[in-house]
Each structure stands twice: as structure tokens, then as C-alpha cells.
Amino acid sequence: MKSHLIKSLPVVLAGLFAGTVAMAQEPATSTTQFRTWSIGVNAGALTPLSPLGGKNDFSNNRTNFGYGLYIKKQFTPYFSLRLDGVRGKLKGDNTEAFKSGVVNNSPVSAFETQLEYSGSLNAVVNMFNIDMFQKENALQLYTSVGAGLAGYKPTITTAAGTTAFAGGKTIRELIIPVGVGAKFKVSDGINIDLGWTINYVDADNLDGLHRGPSNDKYNYGYAGLEFALGTGKQLAFHNPVALTYDEALAAKNAANALKSDLDAQKAENAKLRSEMNDLLKDTDGDGVADKLDKCPGTPAGTVVDGSGCPLVAPKPQVTVITEEDRKVVNEAIKNLEFDLGKATIRSKSYASLNRVAGLLVEKNFSLKLAGHTDNTGSKELNLRLSKERAESVKAYLVSQGANASRIEATGYGMGQPIATNKTAAGRQQNRRVEFTLY
């Protein structure tokens, strides 16, 4: 009855609203590269019954030609709104008994209804793309539900003859269309559309006969063509799941590449540690590396010179550091450079270091070397690198004749910055070796 179908209208509208919400919650997909508007034309069979329950008013419902068109807006790959229109003719009679064997003794023996128009707004949901790992599929299944208005004129046949129902006036009733379908993409702009829609009428007068408690309904099975407007691919056949899968593969490949780079860096660091250990190895513990020690095996506690040979203790003397001495040291600090990420001293630093070595030999000064780094890399790596760089400067000064026992090399890592580490200039200042004469 009409009241039952009107009560179901809020449910239909809620379904449309839920579809719109689902559309809004869909992950953002740029539609500028897709076709989102389309028009469709179709033709098929109109039948005044439904296999999904309810009583039929006539025992023999005939199939007649119907045709329609629609305009559709695709909002996401899964959701669209479609405005449908259908016209055609519905027929039925009582020339045969019902399938149960009961003979229809209705006073109305036949009817013919001209469906002048049927317009509805439908929410269409694409249930899935056949291949979830393919970016764009050629076959798609969908369901639809909506609400609209139908206008029709029934003509009935009785024993008295054929007459127009309701005085021949056009009857207008609410309809609820529910459908399923399948689309086959022929090209970027054309699809073959196959569908079946059951239209629930909010009245029992579609066939010109009031019979039983059930409202009338009619089927429309159709085949047609859909034309996607614009340029680019069709959004309806776009598969964001496959796109996400491709992005995950790309991220995995990038991670593997980064891992390879990290492994190569670890190997380079291991090689550097091995080279530094070999360079700084001091078997007899006299403070002179084996590679520079001209008197290996010196007894413990023996004071040695820069070449590792025993040295007669000098007479105590008063250490006086002049401004000229400090100038020599400051120039060495200013010119000191290492290879990137290593403790290897660059050759441009040799000249100023040679002057510091000459100063240490001439005046027998003591020298404290303090290595510092910026905050690039781990704390442990920076602490080790600062120590190695200070030791590298000590080794070079000793190679130029300075007394190893008067040179102290210490690494402080990144714990004592003198400038900000947020800029390249600041980090450059923090990568340093400080010289302190005493």
C-alpha cells in the first residue's frame, strides 16, 4: 500500500546519504585526470511483475519493449549518482492459469499500460573490480538504489469492452528502483552496460486493477551503451587498491636501495677503523706509532723523542708562550681540514702544522689536542671520529719531530658545539680540532 512505501522512503534517502558519506571518506583521488561524467542509452524488456515476492494481478504477464537514457556523475571509483529515465509499454492478461493452477476469475481480463515516463535519482555502488592488482579493469559489477516518479496510463479490458482506467488521466506515483548490472569497457570512452532493475510502485494501480494487499512493480532488463565524456581514463574503472600496491612495491624497492647504501657505508667505516688501528698501533707503549718508531721495544717508562728513541730528560725550564706562538697555533687551527667523514688530514693543512711542530721542537711546549664534531651521525660515531682526528694530528706532529709525550689527544664528539648545528656554516665551525699550548 502507499503508506508502506512512503515509510520506506527515509530508508532509501538514508542509503543515498550513506553513499555520499562513503564518497567523502574515500581516500583523495585527483579527478582532473579522469572522466567523471557520462551519458547512457539503453533498450530492453519491460515486464509488469517481480520474481522477488508479492502477488501478481494477472496470470499471464507479457514482455514488451522499453527504452531509456541516463546521465551519471562518478565521484569516486566506487560511488556515483545517476539520473535515469525510462519509457515503454506494460501488458498482461488472464489467458493462462497461474503457475499454481488457480484460474484468475478477475472481471478485468487484460490490461495495457503506457509508461509515459519514469524518472529517478539513483546511488550506484561499484561492488568491486575483478582484479584487485590491476590498475584499470575491463569488467565491473554494480548495484543501485534510488527514488523517483513514474507517470502512466492503464487501459483495461472487461466483458464490457476496453476502457481507459481513471478516466484516461496520467497517474503519477512514487517508485523505488533497485537494480544490479555489469559493465564492459570497450575503450576509454565507451562501455557496454547490461542491467536489471525492479521498480517498486507506491500504489496498486499500475495494471488498472486493485487486487490483494501488495503494491504493483515492474522489471526492466536492458542492454545499452555508456559514453564517458571528457579526456583521460574513466574514474569508474580506476582501481586505487592496485595503485596502493604499486606504491608499496616502490617503497620496498627504495628501502632495499637504502639498505644497500647503508651496508656499503658500514663496510667503508670498518675499513677506515682498520686503517686507523694500523696507523696508531703502538706496541711498546711509548706514545709513538710503530710506523714512526725508530727504536721499537723501548722499556716501559722510558722518555722518548718524536722518533721513539730514548731521550735524556731536559733541564727544567720556564715555559713562556708569546702572542706569536699563539698566532702560529691559531693559523694551524684555521687551516686544518680532513677528508669528509674520515681522520685523513688534507695536504693543504701540512704547512701550518709543520710550523706548529717546529714550535713544539724549538720551545719544548706541551700541546693539548681536543677533537670536536657536529651532530651529524650517531653519538658513538662522532665520539670515535673526534678522537681519531685528534690522534691523527698528534701522529703528524710527531712525524715532524714533536715529542709524543708532550702531546695529549682527546675526542669530545658533538658534546661541545661552539655554533648552531641547524645551519651548514654552524656545523662547519663545530667540526674542529682545538690546540692548547702550555
Side-chain angles (χ1 to χ4, degrees), residues 200-424:
Y200 294 88
V201 183
D202 189 21
D204 188 22
N205 55 19
L206 179 69
D207 51 13
L209 175 64
H210 297 288
R211 179 178 180 270
S214 299
N215 287 343
D216 289 332
K217 42 196 164 295
Y218 62 95
N219 291 320
Y220 179 45
Y222 59 87
L225 293 176
E226 180 181 59
F227 302 93
L229 306 179
T231 59
K233 303 291 185 180
Q234 296 185 51
L235 181 59
F237 285 90
H238 175 63
N239 187 356
V241 175
L243 183 61
T244 303
Y245 176 75
D246 289 345
E247 290 174 349
L249 287 181
K252 180 181 178 183
N253 293 335
N256 290 337
L258 290 175
K259 184 177 183 299
S260 299
D261 292 343
L262 180 61
D263 291 341
Q265 186 62 48
K266 287 182 178 179
E268 180 66 22
N269 291 342
K271 181 181 178 182
L272 176 62
R273 285 194 295 271
S274 176
E275 292 175 353
M276 289 302 302
N277 291 337
D278 185 51
L279 177 65
L280 301 176
K281 185 177 181 181
D282 182 13
T283 304
D284 56 11
D286 60 1
V288 180
D290 289 351
K291 287 189 175 184
L292 305 175
D293 199 341
K294 296 180 180 179
C295 299
T298 303
T302 302
V303 179
V304 298
D305 59 18
S307 61
C309 295
L311 181 68
V312 178
K315 294 180 181 180
Q317 60 182 16
V318 178
T319 300
V320 178
I321 302 173
T322 67
E323 286 300 319
E324 189 64 25
D325 297 335
R326 292 189 175 92
K327 183 177 179 181
V328 171
V329 171
N330 290 337
E331 185 179 357
I333 295 173
K334 181 179 179 181
N335 295 330
L336 182 59
E337 291 185 10
F338 296 91
D339 287 344
L340 183 63
K342 300 182 180 180
T344 305
I345 302 173
R346 292 181 176 175
S347 58
K348 66 178 294 185
S349 305
Y350 291 165
S352 55
L353 287 177
N354 290 342
R355 288 192 287 274
V356 173
L359 185 64
L360 296 178
V361 173
E362 177 185 354
K363 296 191 175 182
N364 201 30
F365 287 149
S366 294
L367 178 65
K368 179 177 180 180
L369 299 171
H372 302 273
T373 68
D374 59 22
N375 66 348
T376 302
S378 67
K379 180 179 179 181
E380 294 76 13
L381 177 61
N382 284 320
L383 185 62
R384 182 170 63 252
L385 181 59
S386 64
K387 172 67 174 176
E388 291 171 354
R389 285 182 170 177
E391 291 287 356
S392 181
V393 174
K394 175 181 177 180
Y396 182 83
L397 294 175
V398 170
S399 72
Q400 301 301 310
N403 188 346
S405 63
R406 286 185 170 274
I407 301 175
E408 176 186 357
T410 306
Y412 294 95
M414 59 183 179
Q416 299 181 11
I418 61 173
T420 178
N421 280 308
K422 296 182 178 180
T423 65

